[in-house]
Amino acid sequence: MLPAIPPRTSPRIGRRAVLAGGLGAAALVLAGCGGGSSSSTDRLRVAFAAGGSRESLDPHVLPLYVDQARAKACFDTLTGWSQDMTPEPRLAQSWESDPKGTRWRLTLRAAKFHDGRDLTADDVLYTLKRIVDPATTGIAATLFRDLDLTASRAMSPTEVELVLRRPNTLFPLALGAPGTEIVQQGATGFERPVGTGPFRFDSFTPGGPALYRAFDGHWDGAPAIKELEFLPVNEEEARIGALLSGQVAYAHDLTPAGAARLDGSGRATALAAPAAANQFLVMRVDKPPFADPRLREAVRLGIDREELVRVALLGRGRVGNDMFGQGLQYYPGTVPQVTRDVEKAKALVAQAGAQNATVELQTSGADPVFDAATALVVRQLGEIGLKVSARQLPEDGYFKTIRKQGVFSQNSTGTLPIPDYIGRRMLTSTPTYDFTGYRSPKIDELYYAATATNDDGRRAAGFAKIMELLRADSGALVWGVRDWNVGVASGLTGLTPARPNTFAWANFAKARLG
């Protein structure tokens, strides 16, 4: 769940085994977790899907949502992302740039690492060097492609100057991305991570529980809970069962159906962050058959977004308009909503000579919405003359597979700032997260002009133009934007509905039990 570029999930415990054993799967997982000495109001137990050997305590790698959440407990970032994806002060209490947006001076707040060392500008510079080092494989490295670390410097222990090779008036956004957590100068191994976050590391078993204890010296105040324990519960059924039975007080990443199960239960409720996960159909524009723009337009007009939201999302979401970032800053909300037009879609299929052609739709259980959406898409496109054959791919590595081999596939992406989304996925120079093969020098031109200007009106107009171009040509159709659901016990307070990747998401620093 950062990076969050696609939502990250792990291989699931077999559904049949979970259903046969009721809460047995969850109970087995939880039985040996942690000590039993803490009172119910001292230790908060949270259930996340695990990833076994793929899990990491390195705060710059973070392949899974559980890794992001653990990093957030142990570390801090310089800025944090608000719910509309604007930067808020964290370790950087203030920042300012020169008129061009190429030199940024950050003032650090007084903060201590868990071992008592003071946070300094040298820690910040070391962290950024580590993130961009190819050996790190940092998930946020792309965001710092224009950072000149040779010219950047510590002005004092609490002031750092960051120099960019290209103007970027939105640079503070990059400083709050998942994978930008500040580490101590010289840190190389993270078997026992040391950060400045609200919780200090205690213990971790890969694929098993992880325990953190409150850091009383945290600059933003000590957490209300004394211990935070992450428990691996892969199957959603088991996470919900553990929540309702009181074994955990927080269950991460619930499907619309899972959230509906908590309605009126009295023991737990679902916190739903609206417009938080974008559901895509993705077509490669550089490969047949979707190199033909008529066929791409036929798919756009052939799918029924309202039915997809009503059935696949159980109404817990919004109809998409084929653009990423609904509800966020710089989203062009005045673009007319695309609607289904079966007759026009049929005509386009005929013009492309594709009547009754078979098209393979690659999908997976990597996103819980995909299965329900697949059946609907197959039927809806069949009604315009396209035969769609669904092929189920393994969950593990699904998003990497469709980047390399996909032609027509399902995809999903958690919340990111719109400039971040464009910068990671659509620029000619950074095709790291390329799913469609679409590249346009015009996108690059508009993006760099938008990030260079201090005129917010011009910036918004530039991003709007980019989004409209992507909508028309990129082959990525956002059919719906679903709520992001987590389950919380009735006695747990201090959490708010939060979009993935935002500062408030999976943040337990202000949580209270009892």
PDB file of all heavy atoms in Angstrom, residues 142 145 166 422-434 437-445 447-448 470:
ATOM      1  N   THR A 142      13.016   8.652  -8.598  1.00  0.00           N
ATOM      2  CA  THR A 142      12.606   9.413  -9.774  1.00  0.00           C
ATOM      3  C   THR A 142      12.245  10.850  -9.423  1.00  0.00           C
ATOM      4  O   THR A 142      12.458  11.762 -10.222  1.00  0.00           O
ATOM      5  CB  THR A 142      11.399   8.725 -10.437  1.00  0.00           C
ATOM      6  OG1 THR A 142      11.783   7.416 -10.836  1.00  0.00           O
ATOM      7  CG2 THR A 142      10.919   9.489 -11.651  1.00  0.00           C
ATOM      8  N   ARG A 145      15.266  13.354  -9.690  1.00  0.00           N
ATOM      9  CA  ARG A 145      16.108  13.256 -10.876  1.00  0.00           C
ATOM     10  C   ARG A 145      16.804  14.571 -11.200  1.00  0.00           C
ATOM     11  O   ARG A 145      17.844  14.592 -11.856  1.00  0.00           O
ATOM     12  CB  ARG A 145      15.275  12.789 -12.071  1.00  0.00           C
ATOM     13  CG  ARG A 145      14.089  13.695 -12.391  1.00  0.00           C
ATOM     14  CD  ARG A 145      13.196  13.111 -13.492  1.00  0.00           C
ATOM     15  NE  ARG A 145      11.976  13.892 -13.633  1.00  0.00           N
ATOM     16  CZ  ARG A 145      10.874  13.676 -12.925  1.00  0.00           C
ATOM     17  NH1 ARG A 145      10.848  12.689 -12.043  1.00  0.00           N
ATOM     18  NH2 ARG A 145       9.799  14.416 -13.092  1.00  0.00           N
ATOM     19  N   ARG A 166      16.808  22.044 -12.640  1.00  0.00           N
ATOM     20  CA  ARG A 166      15.682  22.554 -13.419  1.00  0.00           C
ATOM     21  C   ARG A 166      14.696  23.184 -12.442  1.00  0.00           C
ATOM     22  O   ARG A 166      14.471  22.646 -11.361  1.00  0.00           O
ATOM     23  CB  ARG A 166      15.014  21.403 -14.165  1.00  0.00           C
ATOM     24  CG  ARG A 166      14.006  21.812 -15.218  1.00  0.00           C
ATOM     25  CD  ARG A 166      13.147  20.624 -15.631  1.00  0.00           C
ATOM     26  NE  ARG A 166      13.910  19.464 -16.051  1.00  0.00           N
ATOM     27  CZ  ARG A 166      14.160  19.158 -17.319  1.00  0.00           C
ATOM     28  NH1 ARG A 166      13.715  19.948 -18.286  1.00  0.00           N
ATOM     29  NH2 ARG A 166      14.838  18.062 -17.619  1.00  0.00           N
ATOM     30  N   ILE A 422       2.145  12.355 -12.865  1.00  0.00           N
ATOM     31  CA  ILE A 422       2.632  12.651 -14.209  1.00  0.00           C
ATOM     32  C   ILE A 422       4.144  12.478 -14.272  1.00  0.00           C
ATOM     33  O   ILE A 422       4.686  11.879 -15.208  1.00  0.00           O
ATOM     34  CB  ILE A 422       2.235  14.079 -14.625  1.00  0.00           C
ATOM     35  CG1 ILE A 422       0.706  14.200 -14.707  1.00  0.00           C
ATOM     36  CG2 ILE A 422       2.862  14.449 -15.971  1.00  0.00           C
ATOM     37  CD1 ILE A 422       0.221  15.626 -14.828  1.00  0.00           C
ATOM     38  N   GLY A 423       4.850  12.988 -13.262  1.00  0.00           N
ATOM     39  CA  GLY A 423       6.300  12.915 -13.262  1.00  0.00           C
ATOM     40  C   GLY A 423       6.841  11.501 -13.207  1.00  0.00           C
ATOM     41  O   GLY A 423       7.885  11.197 -13.785  1.00  0.00           O
ATOM     42  N   ARG A 424       6.139  10.615 -12.526  1.00  0.00           N
ATOM     43  CA  ARG A 424       6.610   9.229 -12.420  1.00  0.00           C
ATOM     44  C   ARG A 424       6.252   8.403 -13.641  1.00  0.00           C
ATOM     45  O   ARG A 424       6.978   7.478 -14.002  1.00  0.00           O
ATOM     46  CB  ARG A 424       6.000   8.558 -11.193  1.00  0.00           C
ATOM     47  CG  ARG A 424       6.453   9.095  -9.858  1.00  0.00           C
ATOM     48  CD  ARG A 424       5.905   8.203  -8.767  1.00  0.00           C
ATOM     49  NE  ARG A 424       5.937   8.829  -7.463  1.00  0.00           N
ATOM     50  CZ  ARG A 424       6.450   8.261  -6.379  1.00  0.00           C
ATOM     51  NH1 ARG A 424       6.977   7.071  -6.460  1.00  0.00           N
ATOM     52  NH2 ARG A 424       6.418   8.878  -5.220  1.00  0.00           N
ATOM     53  N   ARG A 425       5.122   8.694 -14.268  1.00  0.00           N
ATOM     54  CA  ARG A 425       4.582   7.759 -15.253  1.00  0.00           C
ATOM     55  C   ARG A 425       4.582   8.231 -16.690  1.00  0.00           C
ATOM     56  O   ARG A 425       4.636   7.422 -17.603  1.00  0.00           O
ATOM     57  CB  ARG A 425       3.143   7.398 -14.877  1.00  0.00           C
ATOM     58  CG  ARG A 425       3.056   6.653 -13.577  1.00  0.00           C
ATOM     59  CD  ARG A 425       1.745   5.933 -13.456  1.00  0.00           C
ATOM     60  NE  ARG A 425       1.752   5.063 -12.298  1.00  0.00           N
ATOM     61  CZ  ARG A 425       0.815   4.160 -12.042  1.00  0.00           C
ATOM     62  NH1 ARG A 425      -0.178   4.026 -12.867  1.00  0.00           N
ATOM     63  NH2 ARG A 425       0.873   3.409 -10.972  1.00  0.00           N
ATOM     64  N   MET A 426       4.473   9.527 -16.908  1.00  0.00           N
ATOM     65  CA  MET A 426       4.166   9.976 -18.251  1.00  0.00           C
ATOM     66  C   MET A 426       5.273  10.753 -18.952  1.00  0.00           C
ATOM     67  O   MET A 426       5.146  11.069 -20.131  1.00  0.00           O
ATOM     68  CB  MET A 426       2.889  10.846 -18.216  1.00  0.00           C
ATOM     69  CG  MET A 426       1.665  10.078 -17.753  1.00  0.00           C
ATOM     70  SD  MET A 426       1.377   8.633 -18.798  1.00  0.00           S
ATOM     71  CE  MET A 426       0.003   7.854 -17.940  1.00  0.00           C
ATOM     72  N   LEU A 427       6.340  11.081 -18.263  1.00  0.00           N
ATOM     73  CA  LEU A 427       7.403  11.843 -18.902  1.00  0.00           C
ATOM     74  C   LEU A 427       8.279  10.921 -19.745  1.00  0.00           C
ATOM     75  O   LEU A 427       8.553   9.780 -19.380  1.00  0.00           O
ATOM     76  CB  LEU A 427       8.254  12.556 -17.862  1.00  0.00           C
ATOM     77  CG  LEU A 427       7.539  13.616 -17.017  1.00  0.00           C
ATOM     78  CD1 LEU A 427       8.547  14.356 -16.150  1.00  0.00           C
ATOM     79  CD2 LEU A 427       6.774  14.601 -17.882  1.00  0.00           C
ATOM     80  N   THR A 428       8.725  11.441 -20.878  1.00  0.00           N
ATOM     81  CA  THR A 428       9.556  10.652 -21.785  1.00  0.00           C
ATOM     82  C   THR A 428      10.819  10.171 -21.105  1.00  0.00           C
ATOM     83  O   THR A 428      11.320   9.075 -21.367  1.00  0.00           O
ATOM     84  CB  THR A 428       9.918  11.503 -23.021  1.00  0.00           C
ATOM     85  OG1 THR A 428       8.714  11.967 -23.636  1.00  0.00           O
ATOM     86  CG2 THR A 428      10.713  10.699 -24.024  1.00  0.00           C
ATOM     87  N   SER A 429      11.343  10.977 -20.173  1.00  0.00           N
ATOM     88  CA  SER A 429      12.616  10.650 -19.529  1.00  0.00           C
ATOM     89  C   SER A 429      12.486   9.667 -18.379  1.00  0.00           C
ATOM     90  O   SER A 429      13.489   9.153 -17.895  1.00  0.00           O
ATOM     91  CB  SER A 429      13.265  11.938 -19.010  1.00  0.00           C
ATOM     92  OG  SER A 429      12.406  12.579 -18.080  1.00  0.00           O
ATOM     93  N   THR A 430      11.268   9.397 -17.902  1.00  0.00           N
ATOM     94  CA  THR A 430      11.096   8.544 -16.715  1.00  0.00           C
ATOM     95  C   THR A 430       9.991   7.515 -16.927  1.00  0.00           C
ATOM     96  O   THR A 430       8.921   7.608 -16.336  1.00  0.00           O
ATOM     97  CB  THR A 430      10.758   9.403 -15.487  1.00  0.00           C
ATOM     98  OG1 THR A 430       9.599  10.201 -15.786  1.00  0.00           O
ATOM     99  CG2 THR A 430      11.908  10.309 -15.118  1.00  0.00           C
ATOM    100  N   PRO A 431      10.246   6.516 -17.775  1.00  0.00           N
ATOM    101  CA  PRO A 431       9.191   5.522 -18.044  1.00  0.00           C
ATOM    102  C   PRO A 431       9.164   4.374 -17.051  1.00  0.00           C
ATOM    103  O   PRO A 431       8.777   3.263 -17.396  1.00  0.00           O
ATOM    104  CB  PRO A 431       9.585   5.026 -19.437  1.00  0.00           C
ATOM    105  CG  PRO A 431      11.072   5.097 -19.437  1.00  0.00           C
ATOM    106  CD  PRO A 431      11.433   6.295 -18.586  1.00  0.00           C
ATOM    107  N   THR A 432       9.585   4.615 -15.806  1.00  0.00           N
ATOM    108  CA  THR A 432       9.699   3.537 -14.824  1.00  0.00           C
ATOM    109  C   THR A 432       8.371   2.824 -14.609  1.00  0.00           C
ATOM    110  O   THR A 432       8.315   1.604 -14.474  1.00  0.00           O
ATOM    111  CB  THR A 432      10.201   4.095 -13.481  1.00  0.00           C
ATOM    112  OG1 THR A 432      11.392   4.846 -13.721  1.00  0.00           O
ATOM    113  CG2 THR A 432      10.498   2.975 -12.509  1.00  0.00           C
ATOM    114  N   TYR A 433       7.289   3.588 -14.572  1.00  0.00           N
ATOM    115  CA  TYR A 433       5.983   2.997 -14.297  1.00  0.00           C
ATOM    116  C   TYR A 433       5.090   3.076 -15.535  1.00  0.00           C
ATOM    117  O   TYR A 433       3.926   3.429 -15.457  1.00  0.00           O
ATOM    118  CB  TYR A 433       5.328   3.704 -13.107  1.00  0.00           C
ATOM    119  CG  TYR A 433       6.109   3.523 -11.835  1.00  0.00           C
ATOM    120  CD1 TYR A 433       6.919   4.524 -11.331  1.00  0.00           C
ATOM    121  CD2 TYR A 433       6.050   2.320 -11.145  1.00  0.00           C
ATOM    122  CE1 TYR A 433       7.647   4.345 -10.157  1.00  0.00           C
ATOM    123  CE2 TYR A 433       6.771   2.129  -9.982  1.00  0.00           C
ATOM    124  CZ  TYR A 433       7.564   3.142  -9.491  1.00  0.00           C
ATOM    125  OH  TYR A 433       8.283   2.956  -8.339  1.00  0.00           O
ATOM    126  N   ASP A 434       5.669   2.733 -16.680  1.00  0.00           N
ATOM    127  CA  ASP A 434       4.967   2.827 -17.954  1.00  0.00           C
ATOM    128  C   ASP A 434       4.068   1.594 -18.140  1.00  0.00           C
ATOM    129  O   ASP A 434       4.553   0.474 -18.188  1.00  0.00           O
ATOM    130  CB  ASP A 434       5.994   2.915 -19.075  1.00  0.00           C
ATOM    131  CG  ASP A 434       5.369   2.860 -20.452  1.00  0.00           C
ATOM    132  OD1 ASP A 434       4.186   3.204 -20.570  1.00  0.00           O
ATOM    133  OD2 ASP A 434       6.072   2.475 -21.401  1.00  0.00           O
ATOM    134  N   GLY A 437       2.790   2.535 -22.859  1.00  0.00           N
ATOM    135  CA  GLY A 437       3.682   2.825 -23.979  1.00  0.00           C
ATOM    136  C   GLY A 437       3.477   4.197 -24.576  1.00  0.00           C
ATOM    137  O   GLY A 437       4.072   4.527 -25.602  1.00  0.00           O
ATOM    138  N   TYR A 438       2.665   5.014 -23.938  1.00  0.00           N
ATOM    139  CA  TYR A 438       2.379   6.353 -24.473  1.00  0.00           C
ATOM    140  C   TYR A 438       3.471   7.327 -24.083  1.00  0.00           C
ATOM    141  O   TYR A 438       3.835   7.425 -22.906  1.00  0.00           O
ATOM    142  CB  TYR A 438       1.032   6.850 -23.942  1.00  0.00           C
ATOM    143  CG  TYR A 438       0.719   8.281 -24.341  1.00  0.00           C
ATOM    144  CD1 TYR A 438       0.320   8.585 -25.637  1.00  0.00           C
ATOM    145  CD2 TYR A 438       0.833   9.308 -23.418  1.00  0.00           C
ATOM    146  CE1 TYR A 438       0.020   9.889 -26.005  1.00  0.00           C
ATOM    147  CE2 TYR A 438       0.536  10.621 -23.765  1.00  0.00           C
ATOM    148  CZ  TYR A 438       0.136  10.903 -25.064  1.00  0.00           C
ATOM    149  OH  TYR A 438      -0.143  12.200 -25.404  1.00  0.00           O
ATOM    150  N   ARG A 439       4.000   8.041 -25.052  1.00  0.00           N
ATOM    151  CA  ARG A 439       4.978   9.085 -24.807  1.00  0.00           C
ATOM    152  C   ARG A 439       4.673  10.263 -25.730  1.00  0.00           C
ATOM    153  O   ARG A 439       4.333  10.071 -26.895  1.00  0.00           O
ATOM    154  CB  ARG A 439       6.407   8.582 -25.064  1.00  0.00           C
ATOM    155  CG  ARG A 439       6.909   7.639 -23.979  1.00  0.00           C
ATOM    156  CD  ARG A 439       7.157   8.394 -22.677  1.00  0.00           C
ATOM    157  NE  ARG A 439       7.465   7.527 -21.566  1.00  0.00           N
ATOM    158  CZ  ARG A 439       6.581   7.038 -20.716  1.00  0.00           C
ATOM    159  NH1 ARG A 439       5.290   7.291 -20.881  1.00  0.00           N
ATOM    160  NH2 ARG A 439       6.951   6.285 -19.708  1.00  0.00           N
ATOM    161  N   SER A 440       4.811  11.463 -25.189  1.00  0.00           N
ATOM    162  CA  SER A 440       4.544  12.663 -25.973  1.00  0.00           C
ATOM    163  C   SER A 440       5.454  13.794 -25.516  1.00  0.00           C
ATOM    164  O   SER A 440       5.429  14.170 -24.341  1.00  0.00           O
ATOM    165  CB  SER A 440       3.076  13.094 -25.821  1.00  0.00           C
ATOM    166  OG  SER A 440       2.875  14.390 -26.347  1.00  0.00           O
ATOM    167  N   PRO A 441       6.271  14.357 -26.417  1.00  0.00           N
ATOM    168  CA  PRO A 441       7.090  15.518 -26.043  1.00  0.00           C
ATOM    169  C   PRO A 441       6.245  16.681 -25.542  1.00  0.00           C
ATOM    170  O   PRO A 441       6.715  17.479 -24.729  1.00  0.00           O
ATOM    171  CB  PRO A 441       7.807  15.875 -27.349  1.00  0.00           C
ATOM    172  CG  PRO A 441       7.802  14.614 -28.149  1.00  0.00           C
ATOM    173  CD  PRO A 441       6.514  13.932 -27.796  1.00  0.00           C
ATOM    174  N   LYS A 442       4.995  16.758 -25.993  1.00  0.00           N
ATOM    175  CA  LYS A 442       4.108  17.832 -25.546  1.00  0.00           C
ATOM    176  C   LYS A 442       3.832  17.715 -24.051  1.00  0.00           C
ATOM    177  O   LYS A 442       3.754  18.736 -23.348  1.00  0.00           O
ATOM    178  CB  LYS A 442       2.789  17.789 -26.332  1.00  0.00           C
ATOM    179  CG  LYS A 442       1.843  18.945 -26.022  1.00  0.00           C
ATOM    180  CD  LYS A 442       2.431  20.280 -26.443  1.00  0.00           C
ATOM    181  CE  LYS A 442       1.436  21.407 -26.253  1.00  0.00           C
ATOM    182  NZ  LYS A 442       2.013  22.723 -26.612  1.00  0.00           N
ATOM    183  N   ILE A 443       3.693  16.489 -23.548  1.00  0.00           N
ATOM    184  CA  ILE A 443       3.478  16.285 -22.117  1.00  0.00           C
ATOM    185  C   ILE A 443       4.673  16.818 -21.328  1.00  0.00           C
ATOM    186  O   ILE A 443       4.519  17.530 -20.334  1.00  0.00           O
ATOM    187  CB  ILE A 443       3.253  14.799 -21.794  1.00  0.00           C
ATOM    188  CG1 ILE A 443       2.013  14.264 -22.530  1.00  0.00           C
ATOM    189  CG2 ILE A 443       3.116  14.586 -20.284  1.00  0.00           C
ATOM    190  CD1 ILE A 443       0.712  14.822 -22.082  1.00  0.00           C
ATOM    191  N   ASP A 444       5.874  16.475 -21.789  1.00  0.00           N
ATOM    192  CA  ASP A 444       7.079  16.956 -21.112  1.00  0.00           C
ATOM    193  C   ASP A 444       7.125  18.481 -21.102  1.00  0.00           C
ATOM    194  O   ASP A 444       7.425  19.107 -20.069  1.00  0.00           O
ATOM    195  CB  ASP A 444       8.324  16.415 -21.815  1.00  0.00           C
ATOM    196  CG  ASP A 444       8.479  14.916 -21.658  1.00  0.00           C
ATOM    197  OD1 ASP A 444       7.486  14.187 -21.851  1.00  0.00           O
ATOM    198  OD2 ASP A 444       9.584  14.450 -21.341  1.00  0.00           O
ATOM    199  N   GLU A 445       6.840  19.075 -22.243  1.00  0.00           N
ATOM    200  CA  GLU A 445       6.876  20.534 -22.362  1.00  0.00           C
ATOM    201  C   GLU A 445       5.902  21.193 -21.392  1.00  0.00           C
ATOM    202  O   GLU A 445       6.251  22.146 -20.672  1.00  0.00           O
ATOM    203  CB  GLU A 445       6.550  20.929 -23.805  1.00  0.00           C
ATOM    204  CG  GLU A 445       6.465  22.419 -24.055  1.00  0.00           C
ATOM    205  CD  GLU A 445       5.964  22.738 -25.446  1.00  0.00           C
ATOM    206  OE1 GLU A 445       6.103  21.889 -26.352  1.00  0.00           O
ATOM    207  OE2 GLU A 445       5.390  23.843 -25.634  1.00  0.00           O
ATOM    208  N   TYR A 447       4.532  19.852 -18.691  1.00  0.00           N
ATOM    209  CA  TYR A 447       4.863  19.518 -17.301  1.00  0.00           C
ATOM    210  C   TYR A 447       5.950  20.444 -16.769  1.00  0.00           C
ATOM    211  O   TYR A 447       5.814  21.013 -15.670  1.00  0.00           O
ATOM    212  CB  TYR A 447       5.311  18.059 -17.214  1.00  0.00           C
ATOM    213  CG  TYR A 447       5.813  17.658 -15.849  1.00  0.00           C
ATOM    214  CD1 TYR A 447       4.934  17.279 -14.848  1.00  0.00           C
ATOM    215  CD2 TYR A 447       7.188  17.678 -15.558  1.00  0.00           C
ATOM    216  CE1 TYR A 447       5.395  16.918 -13.589  1.00  0.00           C
ATOM    217  CE2 TYR A 447       7.651  17.320 -14.301  1.00  0.00           C
ATOM    218  CZ  TYR A 447       6.756  16.940 -13.325  1.00  0.00           C
ATOM    219  OH  TYR A 447       7.219  16.591 -12.081  1.00  0.00           O
ATOM    220  N   TYR A 448       7.023  20.599 -17.511  1.00  0.00           N
ATOM    221  CA  TYR A 448       8.123  21.420 -17.019  1.00  0.00           C
ATOM    222  C   TYR A 448       7.751  22.896 -16.967  1.00  0.00           C
ATOM    223  O   TYR A 448       8.232  23.632 -16.095  1.00  0.00           O
ATOM    224  CB  TYR A 448       9.377  21.179 -17.854  1.00  0.00           C
ATOM    225  CG  TYR A 448       9.989  19.824 -17.592  1.00  0.00           C
ATOM    226  CD1 TYR A 448      10.131  18.892 -18.610  1.00  0.00           C
ATOM    227  CD2 TYR A 448      10.405  19.469 -16.313  1.00  0.00           C
ATOM    228  CE1 TYR A 448      10.674  17.635 -18.359  1.00  0.00           C
ATOM    229  CE2 TYR A 448      10.935  18.219 -16.053  1.00  0.00           C
ATOM    230  CZ  TYR A 448      11.080  17.307 -17.080  1.00  0.00           C
ATOM    231  OH  TYR A 448      11.601  16.061 -16.822  1.00  0.00           O
ATOM    232  N   LEU A 470      -3.768  13.160 -21.847  1.00  0.00           N
ATOM    233  CA  LEU A 470      -3.667  11.775 -21.394  1.00  0.00           C
ATOM    234  C   LEU A 470      -5.002  11.055 -21.543  1.00  0.00           C
ATOM    235  O   LEU A 470      -5.054   9.883 -21.939  1.00  0.00           O
ATOM    236  CB  LEU A 470      -3.196  11.734 -19.936  1.00  0.00           C
ATOM    237  CG  LEU A 470      -1.785  12.260 -19.660  1.00  0.00           C
ATOM    238  CD1 LEU A 470      -1.484  12.212 -18.168  1.00  0.00           C
ATOM    239  CD2 LEU A 470      -0.745  11.468 -20.432  1.00  0.00           C
TER     240      LEU A 470
END
